[in-house]
């Protein structure tokens, strides 16, 4: 299935934008926050071609796609433009009682939403920093050469101006003026303020002392600043008339928040940052084996539950405070051990599909993308995941003892190794090799990979019985491939027919259960009693009408017979709105059948398709 077809099926199964508060994506997952989780059939989504698995963690419904997740996300947004990254669709879900769990989930959602949009650029820049460090150590370049200085600017720019990038994404998450947030962040890293921090020069603001601090490459200060903006912005918006609000409200925010940041927010966050950095460094120095055991052994577990985002600011803060981070090198054995386990599955399994997936997952894991490996291979088979955690713990302890640190933030992968060059680098590489080799050996011999991994068994098509589909509406039968809508015309969702309606009553083409009913009434899904899965879609792009001119007559979960009225719609009014009213009937599991279309021309509620 291509990306557009997968996006359409995901939206159908999740319930459309009416059931989505928010959707965005990371390196491998589409991350949804939903209004009503109970409406979403997790098993059907997991069964979709192109979906590795579904994970529910940190208040998110996470659909693991793999490396082409960005393409699927863009197709989702193309189908539902209101679901742009980081934005909500319509009304948010009702807010329940605040609990520690809900507050923690909200924090993780916020942090992941802040870092995800530019994580790739930041990881690439971090790797470039490491490669430049390697080039200097090997004598290929000097720090004074023009090539080095230009590439260093490319590598260091996003870190130096990190508060500005964070301001933009944090403001988008909290729904405040993004450009005011960026202006505040730009003030924090402006040359004058940076010079004061470098010289430790104390100035005053109308007699109030301003403690000098360097905000370049920092994380916590700007996040706190945007939170403050979240509370102050509505106050200033109400204060000014709409004729001058767009100018005066930002003016007031800059006049108030920038001094407040440098006087209060900055020093407080700097203190907290220093404390966190000291705590992490102390743990690594005092009990390095314990730090290596915990991070190397349980990092992938932390990733599964989505709480790894809470540690990303800490690692970046360590680099800002101390120049190096001791956590990042310890995470690499956790990643490489999963790659080793996937390699063992590739070598041992006799299942062709699993072998193919394990081979590609080994490569992606080596480059730091472990979700396909975890959810498609190791966790699915259970024992390989546990054994990889053991291997990661052993490798993590060796790396922790080495004392190696990362001098730039980067995705933990073989490409991040140059960022670890320095103290303990050689021993840390030994730990990485041990983790990979031990993950491979343990899984190969003790991973329980006998005849191969279990695979999903497609439901029986019941072909000996056959099935006939009646016309869902009276009208003129036309080829599905001739429609203007590429998704339906390409038959990526499934084979079917299209009918230009003569009336406004859609009826059940088969006996079965209503599995999907859009609140807008423009689409309805039926699972027949014989196993076929049928999607009836009324009109093209009619989701934009938001239910206008549609009246659903059945409920989700209801059993219907052939001819049961499903949806009443006004096809003439729909056409006056500028939309096609053509009714499509698609067999979404058509790959299980031999399908024939019966006749041409007008229909009269008679069979129009047969499945065998």
């Amino acid at each position: 299935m291509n990306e557009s077809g997968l996006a359409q099926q995901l939206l159908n199964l999740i319930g459309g934008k009416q059931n989505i508060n928010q959707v965005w994506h990371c390196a491998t997952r589409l991350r949804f926050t939903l209004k009503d989780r109970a409406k979403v059939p997790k098993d059907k989504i997991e069964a979709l071609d192109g979906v590795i698995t579904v994970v529910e963690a940190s208040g998110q419904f996470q659909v693991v796609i793999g490396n082409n997740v960005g393409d699927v996300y863009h197709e989702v947004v193309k189908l539902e433009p209101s679901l742009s990254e980081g934005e909500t669709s319509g009304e948010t879900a009702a807010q329940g009682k605040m609990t520690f769990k809900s507050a923690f989930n909200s924090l993780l959602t916020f942090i992941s939403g802040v870092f995800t949009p530019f994580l790739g650029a930041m990881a690439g820049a971090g790797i470039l920093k490491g490669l430049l460090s390697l080039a200097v150590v090997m004598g290929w370049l000097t720090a004074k050469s023009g090539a080095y200085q230009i590439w260093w600017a490319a590598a260091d720019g996003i870190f130096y101006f990190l508060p500005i990038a964070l301001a933009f994404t944090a403001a988008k998450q909290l729904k405040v003026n993004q450009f005011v947030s960026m202006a505040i962040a730009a003030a924090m890293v402006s040359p004058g303020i940076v010079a004061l921090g470098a010289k430790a020069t104390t100035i005053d603001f109308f007699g109030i002392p301003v403690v000098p601090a360097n905000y370049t490459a920092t994380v916590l200060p700007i996040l706190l600043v945007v939170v403050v903006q979240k509370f102050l912005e509505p106050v200033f918006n109400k204060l000014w008339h709409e004729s001058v609000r767009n100018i005066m409200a930002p003016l007031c925010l800059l006049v108030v928040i920038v001094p407040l940041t440098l006087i209060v927010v900055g020093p407080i966050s700097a203190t907290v940052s220093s404390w966190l950095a000291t705590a992490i460094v102390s743990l690594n120095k005092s009990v390095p084996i314990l730090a290596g055991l915990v991070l190397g052994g349980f990092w992938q577990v932390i990733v599964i539950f989505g709480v790894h985002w809470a540690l990303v600011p800490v690692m970046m803060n360590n680099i800002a405070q101390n120049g190096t981070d001791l956590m990042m090198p310890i995470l690499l054995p956790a990643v490489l051990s999963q790659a080793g386990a996937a390699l063992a599955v590739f070598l041992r399994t006799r299942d062709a599909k699993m072998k193919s997936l394990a081979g590609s997952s080994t490569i992606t894991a080596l480059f730091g993308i472990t979700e396909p490996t975890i959810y498609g291979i190791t966790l699915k088979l259970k024992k390989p995941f546990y054994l990889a955690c053991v291997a990661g713990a052993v490798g993590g302890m060796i790396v922790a003892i080495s004392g190696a640190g990362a001098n730039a933030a980067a995705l933990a992968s073989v490409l991040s190794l140059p960022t670890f060059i320095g103290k303990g680098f050689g021993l840390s590489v030994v730990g990485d090799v041990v983790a990979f080799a031990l993950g491979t050996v343990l899984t190969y011999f003790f991973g329980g990979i006998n005849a191969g991994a279990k695979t999903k068994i497609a439901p029986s098509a019941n072909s000996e019985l056959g099935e006939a589909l009646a016309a869902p509406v009276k009208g003129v039968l036309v080829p599905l491939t001739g429609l203007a809508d590429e998704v339906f015309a390409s038959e990526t969702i499934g084979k079917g027919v299209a009918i230009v309606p003569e009336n406004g009553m859609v009826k059940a083409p088969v006996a079965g259960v209503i599995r999907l009913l859009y609140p807008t009434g423009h689409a309805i899904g039926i699972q027949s009693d014989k196993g076929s899965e049928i999607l009836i879609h009324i009109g093209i792009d009619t989701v934009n009408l938001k239910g206008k001119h549609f009246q659903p007559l059945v409920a989700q979960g209801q059993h219907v017979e052939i001819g049961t009225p499903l949806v009443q719609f006004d096809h003439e009014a729909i056409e006056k709105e500028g939309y096609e009213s053509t009714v499509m009937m698609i067999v979404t599991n058509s790959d299980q059948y031999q399908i024939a279309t019966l006749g041409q021309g007008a229909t009269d509620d008679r069979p129009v398709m047969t499945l065998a």
Side-chain angles (χ1 to χ4, degrees), residues 185-325:
M188 294 168 62
V189 295
S190 64
I193 297 300
V194 172
L196 291 174
K199 297 177 182 178
T201 302
T202 300
I203 58 175
D204 70 271
F205 182 78
F206 294 108
I208 303 174
V210 178
V211 178
N214 185 3
Y215 297 101
T216 60
T218 58
V219 174
L220 294 180
I222 190 58
L223 295 183
L224 291 176
V225 166
V226 177
V227 171
V228 172
Q229 182 185 347
K230 175 71 173 178
F231 289 97
L232 291 181
E233 188 170 292
V235 175
F236 290 125
N237 283 338
K238 291 179 180 178
L239 181 63
W240 296 99
H241 187 268
E242 61 181 9
S243 61
V244 295
R245 182 180 300 150
N246 289 340
I247 297 174
M248 298 307 295
L251 170 63
C252 293
L253 288 168
L254 290 172
V255 168
V256 173
I257 294 182
V258 171
L260 184 65
T261 299
L262 300 179
I263 295 170
V264 179
V265 177
I268 290 176
S269 61
T271 301
V272 173
S273 298
S274 179
W275 181 84
L276 287 172
T278 301
I280 296 295
V281 171
S282 297
L283 177 62
N284 279 277
K285 287 184 176 180
S286 59
V287 196
I289 292 181
L290 178 60
L293 173 66
V294 173
L295 290 176
F298 294 97
W299 178 249
Q300 298 300 342
V301 178
I302 294 172
V303 170
I304 289 173
F305 286 99
V307 297
H308 61 298
W309 287 107
L311 297 176
V312 170
V314 176
M315 290 186 283
M316 298 183 67
N317 177 69
N318 289 340
I319 294 173
Q321 293 288 322
N322 304 305
T324 58
D325 170 60

Side-chain angles (χ1 to χ4, degrees), residues 338-363 373 377-378 381 384 439-440 443-444 449 452-453:
Q338 294 291 332
L343 176 60
V345 173
F346 171 78
L347 296 173
R348 189 71 185 266
T349 184
R350 295 191 293 272
D351 182 273
K353 183 177 180 180
M354 179 61 72
K355 182 179 286 289
S356 175
L357 181 60
S360 62
S361 295
T362 301
I363 297 172
T373 304
I377 307 292
T378 59
L381 300 177
T440 304
T443 304
Y444 188 89
I449 314 164

Side-chain angles (χ1 to χ4, degrees), residues 145-189:
S145 67
Y148 178 90
Q149 294 181 58
I150 291 173
W151 276 333
W152 183 258
D156 191 53
I158 193 170
F159 297 104
Y160 187 93
F161 295 107
L162 183 61
I164 298 179
L166 290 170
F168 184 84
T169 54
K172 192 170 186 178
Q173 289 291 308
L174 296 182
K175 293 178 174 51
V176 295
N177 191 312
Q178 293 166 276
F179 298 100
V180 171
S181 302
M182 292 173 66
I184 296 169
M188 294 168 62
V189 295

Side-chain angles (χ1 to χ4, degrees), residues 444-522:
Y444 188 89
F445 289 105
F446 306 107
I449 314 164
N450 296 317
K454 296 180 180 179
T455 57
K456 297 175 184 175
I457 301 175
S460 170
N462 227 348
S463 58
E464 71 276 4
L465 299 178
E467 187 163 18
L469 308 186
V473 67
K474 184 177 180 180
V476 178
L477 192 68
V478 296
L480 188 67
T481 54
L483 296 180
D485 188 289
E486 182 180 350
V487 174
F488 293 112
S490 62
E491 298 185 334
T492 53
I493 299 177
K495 296 183 181 300
V497 296
I499 300 172
V500 179
E502 295 180 358
N503 61 35
M505 182 62 70
V506 172
K507 299 179 181 180
V510 291
V513 177
I514 305 299
R515 294 299 187 193
L516 173 68
L517 178 62
Y518 264 75
T520 56
H522 77 288

Side-chain angles (χ1 to χ4, degrees), residues 104 123 506 594:
F104 186 64
V506 172
Q594 292 181 348

Side-chain angles (χ1 to χ4, degrees), residues 17 43 79 126 164 278 286 371 391 438 479 482 576:
K17 68 177 182 180
D43 56 338
L79 293 168
I164 298 179
T278 301
S286 59
E371 281 89 343
L438 193 58
K576 287 180 181 179

